Amino acid sequence: MPASLDNAAASLLARYKAVRNATATLCRPLSPEDMMVQSCPEASPVKWHLAHTSWFFETFVLSEFLAGYTPFHPDFRWLFNSYYNSLGEMPEKKLRSSFSRPPLDLILSYRASVDAGIERLLQHTVEDEAARRIALGIEHEQQHQELIATDVKHALFTNPLHPPYIEDASPAQGTTIAPPLEWIDFSPGLTEIGLTPDPNAIDCFAFDNETPRHPVYIAPYRLASRLVTCAEYLAFLDQNGYNRPELWLSEGWTAIRSEGWQAPLYWQRDSETKSGWSIYTLHGLIPLEDLSETPVCHLSFFEADAYARWTGYRLPTEFEWEYAAREAAPGARSNLLDTGSLHPTPAGHLSGLQQIFGDVWEWTASPYTGYPGYAPLPGALGEYNGKFMSSQMVLRGGSCVTPASHIRATYRNFFSPATRWQFSGLRLAR
Ligand SMILES: [Fe+2]
């Protein structure tokens, strides 16, 4: 076999191990009890994430490509299936918190066994399809790393003690003041959006929903140089923003009324702070005044849209966002999971476009649909992205809990517009 292909298998294995280890690192501050909590319908227990990410490699890679592979446990194929209907039945999502059995030790053995299987498979050159699926499994695991962080945050917040996930580093802004908002001009005209990955370059990964690359006409627009801050959002609250129906989409108004929302998720009234508010973070509760220059987060699309309307501006489309971001790359200044801050941080004093990658996912005005010519992956993996292309909005740019090697300018995240448990915020456009 050609040496270059062996190198490809070796580099895929190195990437696999690094990402699997990163999941273990994320779980280190958690107790087995922490890993059992499922505190809202969107979230899953950490223990389930640990099993399900292994299930993905077992189901889509080992069972199909490792000769003589015997599944780790006969029940795991359906027990840890998330939503792949073509593979058969699965437990209801809300039951995941009842999985006290199988015990955590067995889940950890499952992970180790799957790791050994992937290592065995990658001792030799693998067929292209197996390599593509391992690469997909790696990206899938990184998506679940982000979910572990956001689900743990919700679980610990729901605990009446509001315990921190980690106590050491504080995300407080210090003396940093966010720079004044500048408007950056773009006049693109006809441009290309999306990515068509080179099938020969295994390092060039894209999800099917980022493809195919296609022409889009974009009218001249202006984009805010940085994200909206907590102080700016507090002004919206103080101006009675949550009680002015003219600012809200109909569904948004219904949502804030029925849910009783008067502030972003994790904002709590607190008479002992100067601002009258505290914000729950992965580092515990922090007075709002200590986070006022940091980007506002945990907003639904409806809140982001209402805020933009209140300012007289709007949310960018996903195409405007991508056009602006294409020259940028996740860099040393991007506040992604790898920085360890676990909370958005203030923009620096640089001029030009800032905070494009990391800090918060940016809600866009674009509905999540397939690009012209979009085709889901063949087989059960076609259920990965395509079947969610209704009633969801696109978010761009990654957050402070997105792994740095996972994000890129063409990446499309998507959630239903009332979703708030992700690190989601906004950037204005006009
Ligand atoms: Fe998944």
Side-chain angles (χ1 to χ4, degrees):
M1 69 196 66
S4 60
L5 291 182
D6 286 339
N7 289 342
S11 88
L12 194 54
L13 181 59
R15 183 154 151 66
Y16 173 88
K17 286 182 173 176
V19 168
R20 295 282 278 181
N21 286 336
T23 306
T25 303
L26 205 52
C27 293
R28 213 161 281 148
L30 302 174
S31 68
E33 292 84 359
D34 291 333
M35 293 195 200
M36 279 298 303
V37 184
Q38 182 179 24
S39 54
C40 62
E42 295 95 337
S44 299
V46 172
K47 191 171 139 186
W48 182 88
H49 287 297
L50 292 176
H52 164 73
T53 46
S54 303
W55 170 91
F56 192 94
F57 286 110
E58 179 175 70
T59 304
F60 293 116
V61 181
L62 298 179
S63 297
E64 292 195 39
F65 295 96
L66 184 59
Y69 180 75
T70 312
F72 180 81
H73 189 292
D75 282 330
F76 283 13
R77 186 173 166 89
W78 64 271
L79 196 59
F80 295 116
N81 179 3
S82 51
Y83 55 64
Y84 296 85
N85 295 312
S86 16
L87 298 177
E89 294 297 309
M90 68 213 70
E92 262 188 282
K93 185 173 182 180
K94 68 179 182 197
L95 294 180
R96 289 174 190 169
S97 64
S98 70
F99 292 9
S100 57
R101 316 285 175 85
L104 181 59
D105 282 353
L106 194 65
I107 300 302
L108 296 177
S109 302
Y110 181 37
R111 282 184 74 80
S113 161
V114 166
D115 289 347
I118 294 288
E119 190 151 0
R120 215 156 66 236
L121 184 65
L122 288 176
Q123 289 313 303
H124 306 285
T125 304
V126 291
E127 27 183 307
D128 288 352
E129 182 56 19
R132 271 196 290 274
R133 291 198 190 179
I134 294 170
L136 177 63
I138 289 170
E139 302 284 332
H140 173 254
E141 178 112 7
Q142 290 184 305
Q143 289 181 318
H144 279 273
Q145 287 168 3
E146 174 145 15
L147 290 171
I148 286 172
T150 51
D151 294 0
V152 162
K153 182 171 182 177
H154 196 275
L156 296 176
F157 168 72
T158 307
N159 183 312
L161 295 172
H162 303 318
Y165 162 72
I166 45 169
E167 305 208 34
D168 45 357
S170 164
Q173 66 201 24
T175 54
T176 309
I177 304 292
L181 188 149
E182 289 170 26
W183 291 103
I184 300 177
D185 287 302
F186 295 92
S187 23
L190 193 62
T191 187
E192 295 276 315
I193 292 294
L195 192 68
T196 301
D198 175 354
N200 299 313
I202 195 73
D203 289 344
C204 176
F205 179 86
F207 284 107
D208 57 8
N209 64 7
E210 297 166 63
T211 70
R213 192 166 166 83
H214 63 286
V216 171
Y217 177 78
I218 307 178
Y221 66 102
R222 304 173 92 185
L223 207 54
S225 55
R226 60 162 172 77
L227 299 167
V228 171
T229 65
C230 287
E232 289 165 338
Y233 198 82
L234 183 61
F236 172 63
L237 260 67
D238 291 343
Q239 295 292 310
N240 213 21
Y242 279 73
N243 297 299
R244 292 174 52 185
E246 74 275 18
L247 298 175
W248 295 82
L249 290 167
S250 171
E251 270 188 76
W253 183 251
T254 304
I256 62 169
R257 296 278 115 176
S258 63
E259 301 294 332
W261 293 344
Q262 285 292 312
L265 178 60
Y266 301 128
W267 284 34
Q268 305 241 63
R269 294 266 182 207
D270 186 344
S271 58
E272 291 181 13
T273 65
K274 212 165 20 164
S275 59
W277 291 94
S278 282
I279 299 178
Y280 180 75
T281 73
L282 282 164
H283 309 266
L285 275 172
I286 295 180
L288 186 150
E289 57 268 27
D290 292 345
L291 295 173
S292 57
E293 300 296 308
T294 65
V296 62
C297 61
H298 300 293
L299 296 182
S300 63
F301 168 80
F302 297 131
E303 290 162 298
D305 176 79
Y307 174 85
R309 213 176 288 267
W310 174 71
T311 61
Y313 304 119
R314 62 174 175 85
L315 298 177
T317 67
E318 65 167 320
F319 306 125
E320 290 169 337
W321 189 95
E322 183 172 323
Y323 184 81
R326 67 177 46 179
E327 299 308 327
R333 296 193 64 88
S334 306
N335 179 19
L336 291 148
L337 179 63
D338 310 56
T339 66
S341 77
L342 301 172
H343 201 76
T345 49
H349 283 272
L350 301 171
S351 57
L353 207 53
Q354 298 178 60
Q355 299 176 309
I356 276 286
F357 293 105
D359 291 303
V360 299
W361 286 103
E362 301 177 31
W363 283 110
T364 71
S366 300
Y368 177 53
T369 57
Y371 288 163
Y374 166 72
L377 294 176
L381 283 170
E383 294 189 51
Y384 197 116
N385 281 317
K387 71 177 183 181
F388 300 110
M389 289 174 174
S390 70
S391 309
Q392 314 226 30
M393 302 302 286
V394 173
L395 302 94
R396 295 297 200 115
S399 81
C400 55
V401 292
T402 306
S405 61
H406 183 65
I407 193 70
R408 59 196 157 266
T410 56
Y411 194 111
R412 307 173 80 202
N413 198 355
F414 51 91
F415 283 106
S416 67
T419 306
R420 310 210 295 173
W421 104 115
Q422 290 295 301
F423 285 84
S424 45
L426 80 151
R427 176 189 306 272
L428 295 169
R430 57 192 290 195

